[in-house]
């Protein structure tokens, strides 16, 4: 079954063709990051407008790269939630029109379910149940993936997402948007251990997380150094910051796996590209005898193929939508 898949929830327009949920026939992406970098972050209206400009040509490219004609497409999958609402609406409306014109089923896909499904593309043997640590620019979730479409949140951030926190810390370190990857690179130049940063815990909810205090601490540290004319060890601060995020995420993911009785763990989302977090997950899983799946870097960030992968399993579960399907800025992954 060939699925034409659309993703437009943030600043990447992405269209892919995926066969039977596991084989990527094409994966076309148009990133707007350079445009948003001028403003230091994503400007929602610009994101929507850039999706409007890019999506039709990108669809042609995805079909051509996959060597597919329109009649070869069996279904259309699309991110319907969560995300920047204007941005999601562009992809959703276009995908609906395509499904309508081709007369094929329309499959709604939750964006974070898509991130988790990126692992199916990289690891053919992987099947639920497993525990997923889904960490991206807008979401930070520890999810018990009981089956392909049966998911249960065990832990979540109470405020900022991990990626948002990386982007803000990178900004005060003078790095360009999106800052996660450049901060990661900068951090590799130091062993850290220089700056003491807070590690917040949520009282009564040991698997939940909070990143806003950490974000504020880095901002205050940088501003204070500037005010007193003190030179920051930027690489050390980047390293200590990444470590603080990792120290928040990794022990909770391991504890959640223990509680859920899972011996298989997957990482997902843009922040799963982080080298400190990947290293810590590898060591923790080796210690606890868990099998760890870390998606290749190009499948960590937003892409259309992951929506095609999850779309296939949503279709098998009978989760198709009518032409009245709407977009949502927020939506529980379990719904
Ligand atoms: O998954 P993604 O592409 O988009 C969302 O669904 O949100 O994630 C984007 C986020 C950004 O915050 C970006 O700075 C972060 O992932 N990111 C990283 C790294 N590469 C991307 N964060 C930390 N380390 C990285 N190497």
């Amino acid at each position: 079954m060939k699925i034409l898949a659309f993703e437009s929830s943030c600043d990447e327009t992405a269209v892919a063709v995926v066969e039977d949920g596991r084989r990527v026939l094409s994966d076309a992406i148009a990133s707007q990051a350079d445009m948003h970098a001028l403003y230091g972050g994503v400007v929602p209206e610009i994101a929507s407008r850039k999706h409007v400009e890019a999506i039709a040509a990108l669809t042609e490219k995805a079909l051509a790269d996959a060597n597919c004609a329109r009649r070869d497409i069996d279904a259309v999958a699309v991110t319907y939630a969560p995300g920047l609402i204007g941005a999601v609406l562009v992809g959703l409306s276009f995908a609906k029109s395509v499904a309508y014109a081709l007369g094929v089923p329309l499959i709604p896909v939750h964006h974070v379910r898509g991130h988790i499904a990126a692992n199916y593309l990289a690891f053919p043997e992987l099947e639920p149940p497993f525990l997923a640590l889904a960490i991206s620019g807008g979401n930070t979730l520890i999810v018990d993936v009981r089956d392909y479409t049966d998911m249960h949140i065990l832990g979540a951030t109470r405020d900022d997402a991990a990626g948002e926190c990386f982007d803000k810390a990178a900004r005060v370190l003078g790095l360009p948007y999106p800052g996660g990857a450049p901060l990661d690179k900068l951090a590799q130049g130091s062993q850290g251990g220089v700056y003491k940063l807070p590690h917040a815990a949520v009282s009564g909810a040991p698997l939940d997380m909070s990143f806003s205090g950490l974000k504020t601490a880095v901002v205050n540290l940088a501003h204070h150094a500037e005010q007193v004319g003190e030179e920051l060890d930027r690489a050390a601060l980047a390293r200590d910051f990444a470590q603080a995020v990792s120290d928040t995420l990794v022990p909770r993911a391991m504890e959640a796996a223990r509680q859920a009785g899972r011996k298989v763990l997957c990482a997902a989302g843009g922040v799963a590209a982080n080298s400190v977090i990947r290293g810590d997950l590898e060591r923790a899983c080796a210690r606890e005898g868990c099998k760890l799946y870390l998606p290749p870097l190009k499948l960590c960030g937003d892409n259309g193929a992951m929506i095609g992968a999850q779309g296939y399993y949503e279709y098998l579960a009978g989760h198709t939508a009518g032409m009245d399907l709407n977009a949502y800025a927020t939506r529980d992954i379990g719904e």
Side-chain angles (χ1 to χ4, degrees):
M1 175 181 199
K2 290 192 178 81
I3 294 183
L4 180 64
F6 294 91
E7 156 61 37
S8 71
S9 66
C10 191
D11 58 348
E12 246 96 39
T13 321
V15 188
V17 180
V18 178
E19 191 167 37
D20 297 336
R22 297 275 179 164
R23 213 159 77 83
V24 182
L25 302 186
S26 66
D27 194 10
I29 299 183
S31 175
Q32 313 169 358
D34 288 353
M35 169 67 72
H36 298 293
L38 301 173
Y39 304 92
V42 178
V43 182
E45 183 175 336
I46 294 178
S48 307
R49 290 179 181 279
K50 287 277 150 196
H51 290 311
V52 167
E53 287 172 9
I55 200 159
L58 211 61
T59 303
E60 289 301 319
K61 178 169 167 43
L63 288 169
D65 290 352
N67 222 347
C68 275
R70 292 178 194 180
R71 65 175 175 280
D72 298 328
I73 296 303
D74 300 301
V76 169
V78 63
T79 299
Y80 78 106
L84 299 172
I85 194 63
V88 181
L89 276 166
V90 175
L92 180 69
S93 303
F94 190 85
K96 280 169 84 166
S97 311
V98 172
Y100 181 71
L102 296 181
V104 297
L106 176 68
I107 309 165
V109 176
H110 188 285
H111 179 72
V112 183
R113 287 189 179 203
H115 272 304
I116 294 169
N119 284 283
Y120 303 140
L121 298 170
F123 308 110
E125 75 283 10
L126 176 66
E127 288 180 355
F130 56 82
L131 192 102
L133 176 61
I135 40 181
S136 67
N139 299 278
T140 301
L141 297 173
I142 299 170
V143 185
D144 187 26
V145 182
R146 296 169 176 171
D147 206 340
Y148 287 104
T149 60
D150 179 9
M151 303 188 197
H152 182 69
I153 297 176
L154 298 179
T157 180
R158 292 290 182 101
D159 41 53
D160 299 326
E164 209 175 322
C165 196
F166 264 103
D167 291 339
K168 190 53 70 67
R171 190 146 116 183
V172 301
L173 285 166
L175 299 167
Y177 172 85
L183 186 147
D184 193 5
K185 204 162 164 216
L186 178 64
Q188 283 163 23
S190 170
Q191 293 298 315
V194 174
Y195 297 98
K196 261 208 146 14
L197 296 170
H199 292 64
V202 180
S203 151
L207 297 181
D208 280 352
M209 296 153 276
S210 164
F211 291 102
S212 66
L214 174 60
K215 183 175 85 179
T216 307
V218 175
V219 172
N220 287 347
L221 223 149
H223 287 170
H224 178 75
E226 197 181 319
Q227 278 161 8
V228 300
E230 189 183 295
E231 197 160 332
L232 272 181
D233 183 342
R234 290 170 67 254
L237 183 52
R239 180 68 175 79
D240 288 334
F241 168 79
Q243 191 61 59
V245 175
S246 187
D247 289 347
T248 303
L249 294 169
V250 176
R252 285 174 175 76
M254 299 314 297
E255 177 56 28
R258 238 175 272 130
Q259 286 181 16
R262 302 290 175 228
K263 281 288 178 193
V264 177
L265 202 141
C266 292
V271 181
N274 185 264
S275 59
V276 174
I277 297 169
R278 289 171 90 91
D280 287 350
L281 279 173
E282 271 164 4
R283 280 182 290 278
C285 285
R287 227 177 11 248
E288 306 228 359
C290 281
K291 172 92 182 125
L292 174 66
Y293 290 95
L294 292 172
L297 299 195
K298 82 177 192 20
L299 284 173
C300 288
D302 289 347
N303 62 84
M306 68 186 201
I307 302 303
Q310 182 61 25
Y312 176 69
Y313 293 103
E314 299 289 348
Y315 178 81
L316 293 185
H319 300 164
T320 56
M323 279 294 141
D324 57 348
L325 175 66
N326 216 327
Y328 301 89
T330 57
R331 193 77 159 183
D332 192 316
I333 196 171
E335 283 177 50

